[in-house]
């Protein structure tokens, strides 16, 4: 059995001069306390390392992203005490910082993957293909792809039916263990083909999936550490395969523990009562908010 392991990025990243972290919200609703907590931790890591924090607006999903959510997002982040040194509002050397303006960079990566033979066209019309633009959080992680359109090893992809353009899937190396060290969760190990299957990298409507856009952008923006919620651990395994396929150095990872509601359900944009907007309207100060969720090194409230 072969394994893929992420190396220490801070020393291996060719373009990074020091720590570079990122906040990568999607403007599909109002940000909530869970986002703020992850982002505070990201900010703490960047400050602790004397580094840079980048704000990337993940606005690929045109049907769900809205301009008013973008302005609310910036306002709420600032109100919550977050500061970034590069972003759509302040520019920077690694822009543009709106994903909707980065299509040529994604197309290039897509062409590279096509040339490598590691992806194949998929004509299945499934909900998970439609959903591929957003990050698959633990509760809605994409089901294992049954392999309907996967060509047999050594065979060319099936002749494309002319009905519509295909989406494209990454052929995961069956049985391979994808391993990485997580700064909060410790050693992680996922088995390709068992814990996750062939995943969409390119949608039939010509947009990259979250997995591809995220890898391409984190690499292009020279991010050295990704701080995000623990519900994206499996996505990190997928993304490590993409880093390898695209010959890009992976960053380090810190997946923080998730805030849940009283029923143990991960906070989501539908939890309006915990949206930063609502908390602010109720007169909660950002200082109180932060003090009430003082984080330990792993992102748990102390
Ligand atoms: N825009 C993604 C989300 O909000 C970002 C996930 C990530 O940090 O990679 O879920």
């Amino acid at each position: 059995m072969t394994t893929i392991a992420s190396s220490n990025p801070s020393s291996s990243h060719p373009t990074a001069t020091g720590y570079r972290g990122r906040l990568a919200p999607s403007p599909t609703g109002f940000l909530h306390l869970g986002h703020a907590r992850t982002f505070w931790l990201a900010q703490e890591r960047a400050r602790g390392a004397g580094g840079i924090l980048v704000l990337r607006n993940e606005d690929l999903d045109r049907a769900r992203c809205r301009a008013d959510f973008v302005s609310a997002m910036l306002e709420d982040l600032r109100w919550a005490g977050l500061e970034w040194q590069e972003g759509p509002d302040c520019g920077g050397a690694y822009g543009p910082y709106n994903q909707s303006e980065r299509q040529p960079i994604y197309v290039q990566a897509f062409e590279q993957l096509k040339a490598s033979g590691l992806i194949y066209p998929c004509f299945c019309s499934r909900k998970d293909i439609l959903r591929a633009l957003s990050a698959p959080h633990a509760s809605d992680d994409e089901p294992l792809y049954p392999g309907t359109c996967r060509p047999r090893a050594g065979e060319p992809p099936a002749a494309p039916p002319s009905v519509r353009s295909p989406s494209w899937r990454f052929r995961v190396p069956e049985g391979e263990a994808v391993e990485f060290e997580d700064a909060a969760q410790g050693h992680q190990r996922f088995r390709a083909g068992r814990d996750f299957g062939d995943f969409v990298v390119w949608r039939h409507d010509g947009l990259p999936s979250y997995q591809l856009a995220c890898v391409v952008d984190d690499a292009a923006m020279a991010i050295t550490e990704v701080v995000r919620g623990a519900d994206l651990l499996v996505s990190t395994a997928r993304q490590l395969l993409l880093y390898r396929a695209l010959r890009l150095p992976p960053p380090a990872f810190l997946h923080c523990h998730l805030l849940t509601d009283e029923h143990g359900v991960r906070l989501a944009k539908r939890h309006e009562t915990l949206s930063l907007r609502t908390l602010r309207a109720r007169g909660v100060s950002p200082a109180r908010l932060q003090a009430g969720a003082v984080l330990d090194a792993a992102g748990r409230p102390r």
Side-chain angles (χ1 to χ4, degrees), residues 22 24-26 35 58 135 137 210 214 226-228 232 239 269:
R22 46 62 151 195
S26 306
H35 293 112
E58 303 221 316
H137 294 282
Y210 154 74
C214 183
V226 166
V227 175
R228 59 185 171 204
L232 289 169
Q239 291 176 18
K269 285 173 181 143

Side-chain angles (χ1 to χ4, degrees), residues 73 85 96-97 99 103 160 174 191 206 225 232 234 242 262 272:
M73 184 170 91
Q85 292 70 51
Y97 295 92
Q99 286 193 322
Q103 184 72 1
E174 288 291 329
R191 189 67 70 85
E225 184 179 67
L232 289 169
V234 189
L242 286 180
E262 65 278 21
E272 294 235 327

Side-chain angles (χ1 to χ4, degrees), residues 22-28 31 35 38-39 56-59 99 133-137 210 214 218 226-229 231-232 235-236 239 255 266 269:
R22 46 62 151 195
L23 314 174
S26 306
T28 54
L31 299 182
H35 293 112
T38 304
F39 294 162
R56 185 168 72 230
N57 173 23
E58 303 221 316
D59 61 349
Q99 286 193 322
L133 276 179
S134 27
H137 294 282
Y210 154 74
C214 183
D218 283 336
V226 166
V227 175
R228 59 185 171 204
D231 49 346
L232 289 169
S235 281
T236 296
Q239 291 176 18
H255 291 80
R266 177 182 73 90
K269 285 173 181 143

Side-chain angles (χ1 to χ4, degrees), residues 63 89 189 288:
D89 55 332
R189 186 171 199 271
R288 239 183 79 203

Side-chain angles (χ1 to χ4, degrees), residues 5-14 16 18-22 42 45-46 49 53 56 179-186 188 210 214-215 218-219 221-229 232-233 235-237 239-240 243 248-256:
S6 114
S7 55
N8 178 355
S10 33
S11 54
S12 66
H13 209 292
Y19 184 101
R20 289 177 58 84
R22 46 62 151 195
R45 298 282 293 182
L53 197 57
R56 185 168 72 230
E179 303 189 42
F180 60 97
E181 286 309 318
D182 187 87
Q185 316 280 337
Q188 299 296 310
Y210 154 74
C214 183
V215 164
D218 283 336
M221 294 179 181
I223 300 303
T224 59
E225 184 179 67
V226 166
V227 175
R228 59 185 171 204
L232 289 169
L233 280 164
S235 281
T236 296
Q239 291 176 18
L240 283 170
Y243 279 104
L248 294 168
F253 294 95
L254 188 162
H255 291 80
C256 51

Side-chain angles (χ1 to χ4, degrees), residues 3-302:
T3 61
I4 172 176
S6 114
S7 55
N8 178 355
S10 33
S11 54
S12 66
H13 209 292
T15 44
T17 50
Y19 184 101
R20 289 177 58 84
R22 46 62 151 195
L23 314 174
S26 306
T28 54
F30 294 124
L31 299 182
H32 55 67
L33 190 54
H35 293 112
R37 213 174 58 127
T38 304
F39 294 162
W40 285 327
L41 184 57
Q43 176 160 280
E44 231 173 74
R45 298 282 293 182
R47 284 187 176 162
I52 293 286
L53 197 57
V54 174
L55 175 68
R56 185 168 72 230
N57 173 23
E58 303 221 316
D59 61 349
L60 275 180
D61 191 346
R62 276 165 224 162
R64 290 173 64 222
C65 294
R66 286 181 4 203
D68 54 330
F69 286 144
V70 178
S71 39
M73 184 170 91
L74 296 175
E75 194 183 297
D76 291 349
L77 288 172
R78 281 194 205 103
W79 172 78
L82 289 153
E83 288 170 9
W84 50 94
Q85 292 70 51
E86 295 174 28
D89 55 332
C90 55
Y94 295 82
Y97 295 92
N98 295 314
Q99 286 193 322
S100 54
E101 295 169 40
R102 299 178 62 80
Q103 184 72 1
I105 307 172
Y106 306 136
V107 170
Q108 211 179 1
F110 174 44
E111 293 303 333
Q112 193 182 333
L113 288 176
K114 260 204 268 187
S116 72
L118 291 168
I119 60 175
Y120 61 87
C122 172
F123 295 89
C124 299
S125 163
R126 294 166 59 88
K127 264 217 212 101
D128 55 297
I129 297 179
L130 296 174
R131 274 205 324 243
L133 276 179
S134 27
H137 294 282
S139 52
D140 57 8
D141 200 36
E142 56 180 288
L144 277 191
Y145 180 62
T148 322
C149 296
R150 186 192 240 231
R152 294 220 181 98
E155 278 180 22
S162 55
V163 235
R164 62 177 192 130
S165 359
S167 58
W168 288 74
R169 281 183 187 271
F170 186 85
R171 176 201 278 271
V172 303
E174 288 291 329
E176 182 173 331
V178 180
E179 303 189 42
F180 60 97
E181 286 309 318
D182 187 87
Q185 316 280 337
H187 189 74
Q188 299 296 310
R189 186 171 199 271
F190 295 94
R191 189 67 70 85
R194 194 189 65 190
D195 296 320
F196 62 94
D198 293 356
F199 55 92
V200 176
V201 293
W202 201 259
R203 301 193 350 151
H204 66 80
D205 59 3
L207 288 174
S209 70
Y210 154 74
Q211 307 293 355
L212 182 63
C214 183
V215 164
V216 167
D217 285 347
D218 283 336
M221 294 179 181
I223 300 303
T224 59
E225 184 179 67
V226 166
V227 175
R228 59 185 171 204
D231 49 346
L232 289 169
L233 280 164
V234 189
S235 281
T236 296
R238 296 182 178 102
Q239 291 176 18
L240 283 170
L241 293 174
L242 286 180
Y243 279 104
R244 183 172 70 180
L246 292 166
R247 299 180 196 286
L248 294 168
F253 294 95
L254 188 162
H255 291 80
C256 51
H257 294 274
L258 297 176
L259 267 190
T260 54
D261 67 9
E262 65 278 21
H263 308 294
V265 176
R266 177 182 73 90
L267 286 194
K269 285 173 181 143
R270 61 184 176 276
H271 288 85
E272 294 235 327
T273 47
L274 288 174
S275 78
L276 298 181
R277 302 247 113 180
T278 310
L279 293 166
R280 180 177 167 188
R282 282 196 353 228
V284 179
S285 73
R288 239 183 79 203
L289 211 67
Q290 285 205 38
V294 180
L295 307 169
D296 66 16
R300 276 182 293 253
R302 272 200 275 256

